[in-house]
Amino acid sequence: MPLAEIDIDALGEIVNIGVGRAAASLSDLLGERIELQVPSMRMMTKADAKCDGPSGMSILQEFKGQVSGNALLVFPSESAKTLAKMLAGYDDSEDVQSLELSGILSEVGNIVLNGVLGSLGNVLGCPLEYRVPDFFVDETLASLLSRDANGDLATSEVLVADTNFHVLSRQIKGTVLIAFKLGTMENLCEHLLRLGTN
Amino acid sequence: MPESLPDYDYLLDLLPVGAMIIDANLKIVNWNRTLTDWTDIRRQDAVGHSLGKLFPNVAEQRYCQRLQDLFDHGLPVSFSAALHKYFLPIKPRHGLEGHMIQQTEARLLASHRNLALITIQDFSMQYRQLAQLKTERAELLRARDELQNTNEILVQRNRELDEFSYVASHDLQEPLRKITTFAQLVAKELSDQMTPKQQSYIAQVVSGTRRMRNLITDLLAFAGAGRTEVDRQPVDLNEVVCNVLDALELRLQETQTQVILDPLPIVLGDKGQLTQLYQNMIANALKFSTNSSPQIHINVEHATSGIVLGVKDNGIGIDPAYAEQIFKPFARLPSKHHVEGTGIGLSICKKVVNRHGGEIWVESPAEGGAHFRFTLDTPVRQIVPLMSQADDIPNFISASI
């Protein structure tokens, strides 16, 4: 069931609130002011995702409940390294090693996706179950979006939110993607409708 | 322990990581053996106490806020080793300094949403190795930069030296020619007025300038071998050697030297420089030939590492003590035989071989003579049988097919 434009706007609000909370958590963690912005948002189908190549570096968090699916934070490889270096306090000449990279990005992904999914859970008004985030390098978007501990996840639509990280006067681009499991979009639409009427 | 919570002691103790269960007030509900090993705090001493009281850093906002979110929203939490270094300030094992580096994760228990399992992995060794790797890498990079700088300076100095020796030897030729010419003119015009002693002085001047001219010519050749780039083209070494033998034909016939020529390969190299290489080696073999039946064998051997080319003679041979010295410029070994030359021919050979990425050395076979052998770090196209060239081979050459 495709989302109406008004639903997408509502989802955008949810994502923005979540990203705002994530920015506050990241700032607390690092003792630096970090801003997160979502300049644009759109829906795409799983078929669109299949056209994409390797996704760079990704953090995946599965969620289950009235609405189920996979949430992803994706960075181009160079952006991921730059962000990790900045967060670790390295200067440009220092290299961030894969052990550090996976740890830092997993935690950043955990904070950002927790923000967004927590915001979504609040709107749904019922608790969701979440898995601990996993870190991936160069997996295709299609494979990540359909990844499921219990087999292939049949997804319908994917929410794509471009996300800008402003850290120490630099801007790092990433993307938050949420793939909704087939059959749970209806629940989401109902909740969004209720949200609209309230 | 909450009544409904199963006895997790056994399971938690099996885990190779630190593990504890806490409630929403951060009160410890379970504490595994690994944590006891790390902290010396026994399970019975930890359970029932607030985690924040035992470890005050956990009460910091960056930890407690996210742990609170875990209980409020069920959102799992990950504290990376890279950003936090540690969750619990624990002394590391294996005699390491500082704090144990930890990767920590916290999630709600599926069966008890008011309880959270915290697992802590010890990453100290990994991070120590990482730190060592970084130090070694930094040292390697610094050493590489230093080597690059030194190499650039050396290349530049070498180029300048080559230029200098080329220019110097080139410019010395003209005044030398004048000295020779005018000395000869003096000798000619005053021949009837000079005493035999004076004529002998003039002859010595001419002879000295001739030797000096030979020296300068060789110096120019030596400098030239380093100045020009190696122009790598497919070169048929059979053709190169035949041309050299052709040029030396008169000397070969005078000395009645028998030449044995193996089928040689086609290699990628600089034809001019390879010609000079064979010319110098064969001329060297002729120069030091004292045998009544002189023989020169131009050979090729197939070693596991590639082909080894060579020129073998049955001349006076070389004392192994001088095996390296002979490749240095102007090296002239003590010998009872008077031999013409400046002592630069073999150093040119070494330069040519080195510029082709190879090595050159000399061996003294048991049967006598000298065997100069060299490699070329260049692809070998094929070995060309000499049958096809039989018509071009002078009759003093024996071709081994």
Side-chain angles (χ1 to χ4, degrees):
Chain A
M1 177 181 164
L3 287 176
E5 200 165 319
I6 191 166
D7 295 332
I8 298 174
D9 288 345
L11 264 180
E13 273 305 306
I14 292 168
V15 170
N16 262 316
I17 292 168
V19 157
R21 285 181 50 187
S25 290
L26 276 175
S27 302
D28 278 348
L29 169 62
L30 299 162
E32 296 281 352
R33 183 171 167 75
I34 294 175
E35 285 178 35
L36 292 178
Q37 286 173 346
V38 181
S40 67
M41 195 144 44
R42 61 194 180 278
M43 298 300 290
M44 73 174 184
T45 63
K46 199 176 157 190
D48 294 333
K50 278 185 180 163
C51 303
D52 286 352
S55 65
M57 296 190 184
S58 318
I59 304 94
L60 171 74
Q61 195 158 343
E62 291 176 32
F63 57 96
K64 280 179 189 163
Q66 285 191 16
V67 177
S68 301
N70 286 346
L72 262 181
L73 175 60
V74 181
F75 292 105
S77 295
E78 280 312 308
S79 300
K81 284 179 191 164
T82 306
L83 180 65
K85 273 164 74 168
M86 289 166 72
L87 298 184
Y90 290 173
D91 61 38
D92 281 345
S93 63
E94 282 180 283
D95 257 352
V96 61
Q97 303 300 312
S98 52
L99 180 68
E100 301 165 295
L101 196 63
S102 63
I104 293 170
L105 293 176
S106 292
E107 184 161 355
V108 169
N110 178 232
I111 290 171
V112 173
L113 297 176
N114 272 1
V116 174
L117 292 176
S119 181
L120 187 67
N122 280 347
V123 170
L124 292 170
C126 59
L128 296 174
E129 278 181 43
Y130 309 93
R131 282 174 63 88
V132 175
D134 286 321
F135 176 71
F136 296 91
V137 177
D138 283 345
E139 282 276 342
T140 62
L141 216 49
S143 119
L144 288 170
L145 290 172
S146 56
R147 202 173 195 97
D148 184 26
N150 304 316
D152 202 39
L153 180 77
T155 53
S156 51
E157 290 194 79
V158 182
L159 174 76
V160 183
D162 295 323
T163 310
N164 292 339
F165 291 69
H166 295 272
V167 191
L168 296 170
S169 72
R170 286 177 76 168
Q171 187 169 299
I172 310 285
K173 288 186 187 300
T175 310
V176 172
L177 297 106
I178 304 176
F180 295 100
K181 188 178 178 181
L182 205 62
T184 62
M185 278 291 273
E186 289 77 1
N187 295 337
L188 179 63
C189 290
E190 273 178 32
H191 281 285
L192 291 176
L193 189 65
R194 218 176 296 148
L195 194 70
T197 51
N198 291 341
Chain B
M1 183 184 302
E3 277 179 18
S4 56
L5 188 65
D7 181 4
Y8 283 131
D9 293 4
Y10 178 70
L11 281 176
L12 289 184
D13 284 348
L14 284 179
L15 292 177
V17 297
M20 70 176 106
I21 294 173
I22 58 169
D23 67 13
N25 297 316
L26 307 190
K27 199 168 81 182
I28 298 167
V29 175
N30 208 326
W31 182 263
N32 81 341
R33 184 178 293 170
T34 305
L35 282 177
T36 298
D37 290 345
W38 289 353
T39 60
D40 289 334
I41 300 173
R42 296 176 304 171
R43 176 181 277 127
Q44 58 267 36
D45 296 331
V47 168
H49 287 87
S50 160
L51 186 60
K53 283 220 171 115
L54 283 179
F55 299 97
N57 67 301
V58 178
E60 289 171 20
Q61 178 81 356
R62 61 184 180 144
Y63 294 117
C64 71
Q65 179 59 52
R66 287 172 68 196
L67 287 174
Q68 201 57 57
D69 282 348
L70 169 67
F71 286 105
D72 291 348
H73 306 288
L75 296 158
V77 181
S78 158
F79 299 116
S80 67
L83 291 181
H84 296 265
K85 303 303 176 207
Y86 57 85
F87 178 64
L88 301 183
I90 298 173
K91 198 172 164 3
R93 295 169 298 164
H94 312 300
L96 300 178
E97 298 287 316
H99 288 112
M100 177 194 283
I101 307 291
Q102 300 155 9
Q103 176 79 25
T104 305
E105 283 171 358
R107 73 202 82 181
L108 292 187
L109 292 183
S111 56
H112 294 76
R113 308 281 294 172
N114 57 341
L115 296 176
L117 171 70
I118 298 179
T119 53
I120 303 170
Q121 283 177 272
D122 179 4
F123 272 25
S124 306
M125 286 302 280
Q126 288 91 326
Y127 269 78
R128 191 169 80 147
Q129 285 165 353
L130 189 65
Q132 275 175 346
L133 275 176
K134 280 184 174 178
T135 309
E136 286 167 11
R137 188 169 181 274
E139 280 169 10
L140 277 174
L141 286 175
R142 196 168 52 244
R144 188 197 63 182
D145 288 348
E146 275 175 21
L147 269 176
Q148 267 177 353
N149 288 341
T150 310
N151 197 39
E152 276 168 24
I153 292 168
L154 283 174
V155 166
Q156 177 64 18
R157 294 260 165 88
N158 245 348
R159 200 175 295 132
E160 286 167 5
L161 270 176
D162 278 343
E163 288 291 330
F164 171 77
S165 49
Y166 183 81
V167 170
S169 45
H170 184 266
D171 290 357
L172 279 172
Q173 278 190 325
E174 185 50 33
L176 200 58
R177 194 177 297 120
K178 274 189 179 160
I179 294 170
T180 312
T181 308
F182 284 105
Q184 285 170 331
L185 278 174
V186 168
K188 191 179 171 188
E189 290 187 10
L190 301 176
S191 60
D192 50 349
Q193 298 169 35
M194 281 197 293
T195 64
K197 202 174 183 182
Q198 288 167 331
Q199 284 178 353
S200 142
Y201 290 157
I202 294 289
Q204 281 186 42
V205 169
V206 173
S207 155
T209 52
R210 190 174 296 128
R211 277 205 307 278
M212 198 165 171
R213 198 171 59 225
N214 289 342
L215 192 64
I216 286 171
T217 307
D218 282 354
L219 259 178
L220 271 170
F222 182 69
R227 283 176 78 243
T228 52
E229 290 298 314
V230 176
D231 176 24
R232 285 181 193 264
Q233 302 284 340
V235 178
D236 182 350
L237 290 181
N238 299 290
E239 187 190 331
V240 165
V241 170
C242 283
N243 288 342
V244 169
L245 293 175
D246 220 23
L248 296 170
E249 186 175 2
L250 193 62
R251 186 80 202 281
L252 287 163
Q253 282 176 342
E254 278 172 5
T255 53
Q256 293 187 311
T257 301
Q258 187 203 0
V259 178
I260 302 166
L261 181 55
D262 285 354
L264 299 176
I266 291 176
V267 299
L268 271 184
D270 187 305
K271 191 174 181 183
Q273 292 190 12
L274 291 173
T275 303
Q276 195 171 28
L277 169 69
Y278 271 106
Q279 167 109 20
N280 287 5
M281 280 199 297
I282 295 169
N284 196 66
L286 276 170
K287 206 186 294 176
F288 292 97
S289 167
T290 52
N291 199 296
S292 55
S293 310
Q295 195 179 73
I296 296 174
H297 184 183
I298 293 150
N299 58 8
V300 58
E301 295 157 62
H302 299 270
T304 47
S305 54
I307 60 159
V308 182
L309 298 150
V311 175
K312 188 176 175 184
D313 62 51
N314 60 351
I316 60 172
I318 288 166
D319 184 338
Y322 300 110
E324 289 193 9
Q325 197 182 323
I326 56 165
F327 292 107
K328 292 179 180 166
F330 311 115
R332 291 181 58 80
L333 306 186
S335 169
K336 55 189 174 187
H337 308 282
H338 172 73
V339 181
E340 285 287 327
T342 57
I344 213 163
L346 288 174
S347 57
I348 292 176
C349 291
K350 183 173 168 58
K351 208 169 200 179
V352 169
V353 168
N354 289 164
R355 285 171 66 79
H356 281 77
E359 294 293 330
I360 187 167
W361 66 100
V362 65
E363 291 171 3
S364 303
E367 65 271 21
H371 188 183
F372 284 88
R373 305 176 75 201
F374 64 95
T375 58
L376 299 173
D377 181 22
T378 171
V380 174
R381 289 286 179 85
Q382 65 186 99
I383 302 287
V384 180
L386 283 166
M387 287 288 261
S388 59
Q389 305 174 2
D391 291 346
D392 303 330
I393 301 173
N395 53 14
F396 53 86
I397 298 173
S398 314
S400 54
I401 310 297

